[in-house]
Amino acid sequence: MALYHEAASILETVNNGKTSLKAEVFGKKGWKSDGKTLFALTSEAAKWSSILAEMVEKSGILKLEKQLSPTLALVLTHDLLLSKKGIALPQKHGLSATVTRHKARLSAELTKTRLRKGFATVDALRAHVNEAATKEEDGSESYAHPRWIRINTLRTTLEEQLSTTFAELDRVSSVKGVSNRSSKALYIDEHIPNLIAVSPSVNFNSSKPYKEGKLIFQDKASCFPAYLLDPGKEDGDIIDACAAPGNKTTHLAAILRSQKGEEARVIACEKDSFRSKTLQKMTKLADLEGVIEVKTEQNFLKLGPTSKEFSNVTGLVLDPSCSGSGIVGRDEGGIVVHLPSTNAAASEPTSKNSRKRKRNEKPSKEKPVPESDGTEDVREEEPEEAPKDSLELAKRLIALSDFQLRLLQHAMSFSSARRITYSTCSIHGEENEGVVVRALLSDVAREAGWRVMKRSEQVDGMKRWHRRGDLSAVEAALQPLTQTSVVLNNQEVADAVIRCDKSTEDGTMGFFVAGFVRDGTTKGDENLQHADAMHEVENGGENDEDEDEWGGFSDE
Ligand SMILES: C[S@@+](CC[C@H](N)C(=O)[O-])C[C@H]1O[C@@H](n2cnc3c(N)ncnc32)[C@H](O)[C@@H]1O
């Protein structure tokens, strides 16, 4: 029967970004299958594809059943487990048999995914998947996430790309103009230089300039930290403390190079070994001039802030691991078909022992390195897994924010540093305003004279950005600190820090960034209405335990 082969071929074409699902199914003559059935199957499989791809990958069936392509496995698995009628083929049909014999394994993977996402039943998961899909298609309520592309000025210019790669696209004057799924439009961002957004239906994944590192796929919000740091001619070296996969590193390098020419130097530090490799690849591709020095498998906390090597470091970008709660899932963007990797090995059967993770061992979130260039599949951060309950979330946020504070305080210890940006792709106040307040009130910040970078002091685009910090989160962070005699100017701090919300007309992911400055001449207590003698703010991550990395939670 042609249905599954035709559906698989349609998903392949749509995934290449050449056309839309509707245009492919109904606009093309010659399909043997009924159009409505074909559309229903392909759109359902696309909707479920992130879940199905993971199940197929983990089950390892692509390795065992060589006649299955990733898209064919997707549509067959969809009908096997999620369609009421099952696979529309006789049981003995060869194609049906190739997936049916793995039904137990695939079902187990579906159960694991469902539980991990926090849904008690398949129907609850289905409702969630449907709701997400309805939102995507309802332009009035939610906006299709545009594809943000930063033009890498280390390798090309905006003008060159506008007149070549993007010459065919219609120019629009608002982000909303590119949020329409069927449009082929381009918007030049009004806040971040050299950043554009294109409609979700246009895909430059396989374009030459992308493969050459001239285009960097980077959400608008993720461009804020390097831009807010705003390094200039007078600056020395800049450290990107938590760098992989390297989007902010290459952005920093581009800005610094434009200011300092050959003198520009960015030191990129990454602790994780797998992500270090991605960072190396990405920077090698994007930075032919050698502005960036990569420190692989390097714990930032182990860099000596007063050592000679870093005596010329005047700025730091700190974008540490976070809950990832602001991330826009790939399925919240345009029609994206998630495909299982053909290289994926079957996951180990879950035994009691294998489920246990050692304390401090980082949960493995990495995707296999694609053979092509390895940059696009390692994300800046992984989306948050739904916590079981509010208690688990609270615990998670305490551990994360202590870790983030510790890194921020370390950044504040660099002897020549004058500016720092701290960012997360989290929506939780604890990881954002909470960390900022705790850092500002810490001895480290006060002794070194760090204060928040006020809105009025920020680079033009950031000054104009409308979403600012959450005042109630600033106040909430101060509440437990009853011991302190220091009073912050809460409103000024809230206005100084920057937020992005996901799924709004801004077209960004959820994000947070704060700038810190120290003037060098004062003790920098400008945000403090009165600063009394040295005080014990709180433990604030200055614990003796050698916890130098966010290690996730153990299952124990
Ligand atoms: C949110 S990601 C960074 C994304 C990156 N800034 C970008 O824009 O592409 C956080 C990174 O910090 C790394 N990391 C966590 N703890 C670290 C530490 N102590 N030292 C250095 N890197 C660390 C993680 O492995 C992860 O790659």
PDB file of all heavy atoms in Angstrom, residues 146-165:
ATOM      1  N   PRO A 146       9.627  32.742  14.771  1.00  0.00           N
ATOM      2  CA  PRO A 146      10.413  32.991  13.555  1.00  0.00           C
ATOM      3  C   PRO A 146      11.763  32.292  13.640  1.00  0.00           C
ATOM      4  O   PRO A 146      12.189  31.893  14.715  1.00  0.00           O
ATOM      5  CB  PRO A 146      10.599  34.509  13.550  1.00  0.00           C
ATOM      6  CG  PRO A 146      10.403  34.939  14.943  1.00  0.00           C
ATOM      7  CD  PRO A 146       9.539  33.932  15.631  1.00  0.00           C
ATOM      8  N   ARG A 147      12.415  32.165  12.509  1.00  0.00           N
ATOM      9  CA  ARG A 147      13.785  31.634  12.540  1.00  0.00           C
ATOM     10  C   ARG A 147      14.723  32.826  12.611  1.00  0.00           C
ATOM     11  O   ARG A 147      14.798  33.610  11.659  1.00  0.00           O
ATOM     12  CB  ARG A 147      14.081  30.853  11.255  1.00  0.00           C
ATOM     13  CG  ARG A 147      13.323  29.558  11.141  1.00  0.00           C
ATOM     14  CD  ARG A 147      13.675  28.885   9.813  1.00  0.00           C
ATOM     15  NE  ARG A 147      12.718  27.833   9.499  1.00  0.00           N
ATOM     16  CZ  ARG A 147      12.884  26.553   9.783  1.00  0.00           C
ATOM     17  NH1 ARG A 147      13.984  26.152  10.375  1.00  0.00           N
ATOM     18  NH2 ARG A 147      11.970  25.667   9.451  1.00  0.00           N
ATOM     19  N   TRP A 148      15.411  32.946  13.712  1.00  0.00           N
ATOM     20  CA  TRP A 148      16.361  34.048  13.877  1.00  0.00           C
ATOM     21  C   TRP A 148      17.708  33.636  13.323  1.00  0.00           C
ATOM     22  O   TRP A 148      18.178  32.521  13.577  1.00  0.00           O
ATOM     23  CB  TRP A 148      16.509  34.422  15.359  1.00  0.00           C
ATOM     24  CG  TRP A 148      15.280  35.054  15.943  1.00  0.00           C
ATOM     25  CD1 TRP A 148      14.326  34.449  16.709  1.00  0.00           C
ATOM     26  CD2 TRP A 148      14.868  36.422  15.790  1.00  0.00           C
ATOM     27  NE1 TRP A 148      13.341  35.355  17.052  1.00  0.00           N
ATOM     28  CE2 TRP A 148      13.651  36.579  16.502  1.00  0.00           C
ATOM     29  CE3 TRP A 148      15.404  37.531  15.129  1.00  0.00           C
ATOM     30  CZ2 TRP A 148      12.965  37.792  16.568  1.00  0.00           C
ATOM     31  CZ3 TRP A 148      14.719  38.741  15.192  1.00  0.00           C
ATOM     32  CH2 TRP A 148      13.507  38.861  15.903  1.00  0.00           C
ATOM     33  N   ILE A 149      18.313  34.523  12.575  1.00  0.00           N
ATOM     34  CA  ILE A 149      19.626  34.216  11.987  1.00  0.00           C
ATOM     35  C   ILE A 149      20.558  35.400  12.240  1.00  0.00           C
ATOM     36  O   ILE A 149      20.248  36.527  11.854  1.00  0.00           O
ATOM     37  CB  ILE A 149      19.509  33.966  10.462  1.00  0.00           C
ATOM     38  CG1 ILE A 149      18.515  32.815  10.190  1.00  0.00           C
ATOM     39  CG2 ILE A 149      20.883  33.654   9.861  1.00  0.00           C
ATOM     40  CD1 ILE A 149      18.276  32.531   8.716  1.00  0.00           C
ATOM     41  N   ARG A 150      21.645  35.118  12.909  1.00  0.00           N
ATOM     42  CA  ARG A 150      22.632  36.180  13.105  1.00  0.00           C
ATOM     43  C   ARG A 150      23.663  36.086  11.989  1.00  0.00           C
ATOM     44  O   ARG A 150      24.161  35.006  11.673  1.00  0.00           O
ATOM     45  CB  ARG A 150      23.310  36.041  14.475  1.00  0.00           C
ATOM     46  CG  ARG A 150      24.299  37.172  14.757  1.00  0.00           C
ATOM     47  CD  ARG A 150      24.736  37.182  16.211  1.00  0.00           C
ATOM     48  NE  ARG A 150      25.372  35.940  16.626  1.00  0.00           N
ATOM     49  CZ  ARG A 150      26.619  35.589  16.287  1.00  0.00           C
ATOM     50  NH1 ARG A 150      27.353  36.361  15.517  1.00  0.00           N
ATOM     51  NH2 ARG A 150      27.124  34.450  16.728  1.00  0.00           N
ATOM     52  N   ILE A 151      23.929  37.237  11.384  1.00  0.00           N
ATOM     53  CA  ILE A 151      24.914  37.259  10.309  1.00  0.00           C
ATOM     54  C   ILE A 151      26.281  37.364  10.973  1.00  0.00           C
ATOM     55  O   ILE A 151      26.543  38.298  11.736  1.00  0.00           O
ATOM     56  CB  ILE A 151      24.697  38.484   9.373  1.00  0.00           C
ATOM     57  CG1 ILE A 151      23.222  38.593   8.949  1.00  0.00           C
ATOM     58  CG2 ILE A 151      25.641  38.417   8.164  1.00  0.00           C
ATOM     59  CD1 ILE A 151      22.651  37.408   8.225  1.00  0.00           C
ATOM     60  N   ASN A 152      27.113  36.378  10.704  1.00  0.00           N
ATOM     61  CA  ASN A 152      28.411  36.333  11.361  1.00  0.00           C
ATOM     62  C   ASN A 152      29.381  37.285  10.660  1.00  0.00           C
ATOM     63  O   ASN A 152      29.955  36.951   9.615  1.00  0.00           O
ATOM     64  CB  ASN A 152      28.941  34.894  11.341  1.00  0.00           C
ATOM     65  CG  ASN A 152      30.319  34.802  11.946  1.00  0.00           C
ATOM     66  OD1 ASN A 152      30.740  35.693  12.695  1.00  0.00           O
ATOM     67  ND2 ASN A 152      31.034  33.730  11.636  1.00  0.00           N
ATOM     68  N   THR A 153      29.578  38.453  11.277  1.00  0.00           N
ATOM     69  CA  THR A 153      30.400  39.471  10.623  1.00  0.00           C
ATOM     70  C   THR A 153      31.897  39.148  10.686  1.00  0.00           C
ATOM     71  O   THR A 153      32.711  39.905  10.181  1.00  0.00           O
ATOM     72  CB  THR A 153      30.133  40.863  11.231  1.00  0.00           C
ATOM     73  OG1 THR A 153      30.367  40.786  12.645  1.00  0.00           O
ATOM     74  CG2 THR A 153      28.710  41.312  10.982  1.00  0.00           C
ATOM     75  N   LEU A 154      32.245  38.031  11.298  1.00  0.00           N
ATOM     76  CA  LEU A 154      33.636  37.575  11.212  1.00  0.00           C
ATOM     77  C   LEU A 154      33.903  37.013   9.816  1.00  0.00           C
ATOM     78  O   LEU A 154      35.035  36.845   9.405  1.00  0.00           O
ATOM     79  CB  LEU A 154      33.908  36.474  12.247  1.00  0.00           C
ATOM     80  CG  LEU A 154      33.930  36.872  13.721  1.00  0.00           C
ATOM     81  CD1 LEU A 154      33.922  35.642  14.611  1.00  0.00           C
ATOM     82  CD2 LEU A 154      35.152  37.733  14.026  1.00  0.00           C
ATOM     83  N   ARG A 155      32.800  36.676   9.100  1.00  0.00           N
ATOM     84  CA  ARG A 155      32.960  36.004   7.816  1.00  0.00           C
ATOM     85  C   ARG A 155      32.223  36.656   6.653  1.00  0.00           C
ATOM     86  O   ARG A 155      32.441  36.308   5.504  1.00  0.00           O
ATOM     87  CB  ARG A 155      32.487  34.551   7.931  1.00  0.00           C
ATOM     88  CG  ARG A 155      33.214  33.762   8.995  1.00  0.00           C
ATOM     89  CD  ARG A 155      33.673  32.435   8.511  1.00  0.00           C
ATOM     90  NE  ARG A 155      34.149  32.475   7.154  1.00  0.00           N
ATOM     91  CZ  ARG A 155      34.246  31.432   6.366  1.00  0.00           C
ATOM     92  NH1 ARG A 155      33.911  30.255   6.808  1.00  0.00           N
ATOM     93  NH2 ARG A 155      34.691  31.529   5.137  1.00  0.00           N
ATOM     94  N   THR A 156      31.285  37.543   6.966  1.00  0.00           N
ATOM     95  CA  THR A 156      30.501  38.140   5.878  1.00  0.00           C
ATOM     96  C   THR A 156      29.895  39.437   6.401  1.00  0.00           C
ATOM     97  O   THR A 156      30.217  39.875   7.502  1.00  0.00           O
ATOM     98  CB  THR A 156      29.401  37.150   5.402  1.00  0.00           C
ATOM     99  OG1 THR A 156      28.668  37.730   4.317  1.00  0.00           O
ATOM    100  CG2 THR A 156      28.419  36.811   6.499  1.00  0.00           C
ATOM    101  N   THR A 157      29.028  40.041   5.603  1.00  0.00           N
ATOM    102  CA  THR A 157      28.346  41.250   6.083  1.00  0.00           C
ATOM    103  C   THR A 157      26.847  41.086   5.864  1.00  0.00           C
ATOM    104  O   THR A 157      26.410  40.265   5.048  1.00  0.00           O
ATOM    105  CB  THR A 157      28.787  42.505   5.296  1.00  0.00           C
ATOM    106  OG1 THR A 157      28.405  42.314   3.926  1.00  0.00           O
ATOM    107  CG2 THR A 157      30.270  42.747   5.408  1.00  0.00           C
ATOM    108  N   LEU A 158      26.088  41.900   6.577  1.00  0.00           N
ATOM    109  CA  LEU A 158      24.630  41.861   6.422  1.00  0.00           C
ATOM    110  C   LEU A 158      24.265  42.199   4.980  1.00  0.00           C
ATOM    111  O   LEU A 158      23.449  41.510   4.353  1.00  0.00           O
ATOM    112  CB  LEU A 158      23.990  42.864   7.399  1.00  0.00           C
ATOM    113  CG  LEU A 158      22.480  43.002   7.324  1.00  0.00           C
ATOM    114  CD1 LEU A 158      21.778  41.700   7.686  1.00  0.00           C
ATOM    115  CD2 LEU A 158      21.978  44.121   8.267  1.00  0.00           C
ATOM    116  N   GLU A 159      24.907  43.210   4.448  1.00  0.00           N
ATOM    117  CA  GLU A 159      24.597  43.672   3.087  1.00  0.00           C
ATOM    118  C   GLU A 159      24.830  42.544   2.080  1.00  0.00           C
ATOM    119  O   GLU A 159      24.004  42.289   1.210  1.00  0.00           O
ATOM    120  CB  GLU A 159      25.466  44.891   2.708  1.00  0.00           C
ATOM    121  CG  GLU A 159      25.157  46.171   3.481  1.00  0.00           C
ATOM    122  CD  GLU A 159      25.497  46.073   4.972  1.00  0.00           C
ATOM    123  OE1 GLU A 159      26.496  45.398   5.322  1.00  0.00           O
ATOM    124  OE2 GLU A 159      24.759  46.652   5.798  1.00  0.00           O
ATOM    125  N   GLU A 160      25.960  41.867   2.236  1.00  0.00           N
ATOM    126  CA  GLU A 160      26.273  40.786   1.292  1.00  0.00           C
ATOM    127  C   GLU A 160      25.203  39.690   1.342  1.00  0.00           C
ATOM    128  O   GLU A 160      24.733  39.210   0.317  1.00  0.00           O
ATOM    129  CB  GLU A 160      27.650  40.199   1.644  1.00  0.00           C
ATOM    130  CG  GLU A 160      28.114  39.129   0.657  1.00  0.00           C
ATOM    131  CD  GLU A 160      29.413  38.443   1.111  1.00  0.00           C
ATOM    132  OE1 GLU A 160      30.216  39.075   1.814  1.00  0.00           O
ATOM    133  OE2 GLU A 160      29.582  37.266   0.761  1.00  0.00           O
ATOM    134  N   GLN A 161      24.791  39.350   2.552  1.00  0.00           N
ATOM    135  CA  GLN A 161      23.803  38.277   2.683  1.00  0.00           C
ATOM    136  C   GLN A 161      22.422  38.716   2.196  1.00  0.00           C
ATOM    137  O   GLN A 161      21.685  37.938   1.603  1.00  0.00           O
ATOM    138  CB  GLN A 161      23.732  37.777   4.139  1.00  0.00           C
ATOM    139  CG  GLN A 161      24.982  37.054   4.596  1.00  0.00           C
ATOM    140  CD  GLN A 161      25.354  35.896   3.660  1.00  0.00           C
ATOM    141  OE1 GLN A 161      24.504  35.098   3.259  1.00  0.00           O
ATOM    142  NE2 GLN A 161      26.623  35.827   3.294  1.00  0.00           N
ATOM    143  N   LEU A 162      22.076  39.983   2.434  1.00  0.00           N
ATOM    144  CA  LEU A 162      20.771  40.470   1.977  1.00  0.00           C
ATOM    145  C   LEU A 162      20.702  40.462   0.451  1.00  0.00           C
ATOM    146  O   LEU A 162      19.656  40.174  -0.133  1.00  0.00           O
ATOM    147  CB  LEU A 162      20.509  41.894   2.493  1.00  0.00           C
ATOM    148  CG  LEU A 162      20.246  42.024   3.987  1.00  0.00           C
ATOM    149  CD1 LEU A 162      20.052  43.490   4.378  1.00  0.00           C
ATOM    150  CD2 LEU A 162      19.022  41.218   4.424  1.00  0.00           C
ATOM    151  N   SER A 163      21.816  40.717  -0.171  1.00  0.00           N
ATOM    152  CA  SER A 163      21.760  40.805  -1.631  1.00  0.00           C
ATOM    153  C   SER A 163      21.991  39.455  -2.315  1.00  0.00           C
ATOM    154  O   SER A 163      21.856  39.348  -3.520  1.00  0.00           O
ATOM    155  CB  SER A 163      22.785  41.829  -2.128  1.00  0.00           C
ATOM    156  OG  SER A 163      24.072  41.392  -1.742  1.00  0.00           O
ATOM    157  N   THR A 164      22.324  38.427  -1.522  1.00  0.00           N
ATOM    158  CA  THR A 164      22.535  37.107  -2.135  1.00  0.00           C
ATOM    159  C   THR A 164      21.591  36.077  -1.504  1.00  0.00           C
ATOM    160  O   THR A 164      20.495  35.861  -1.997  1.00  0.00           O
ATOM    161  CB  THR A 164      24.009  36.663  -1.967  1.00  0.00           C
ATOM    162  OG1 THR A 164      24.344  36.725  -0.562  1.00  0.00           O
ATOM    163  CG2 THR A 164      24.949  37.538  -2.757  1.00  0.00           C
ATOM    164  N   THR A 165      21.975  35.545  -0.373  1.00  0.00           N
ATOM    165  CA  THR A 165      21.213  34.446   0.254  1.00  0.00           C
ATOM    166  C   THR A 165      19.736  34.788   0.457  1.00  0.00           C
ATOM    167  O   THR A 165      18.861  33.950   0.237  1.00  0.00           O
ATOM    168  CB  THR A 165      21.843  34.117   1.629  1.00  0.00           C
ATOM    169  OG1 THR A 165      23.249  34.086   1.490  1.00  0.00           O
ATOM    170  CG2 THR A 165      21.339  32.796   2.163  1.00  0.00           C
TER     171      THR A 165
END
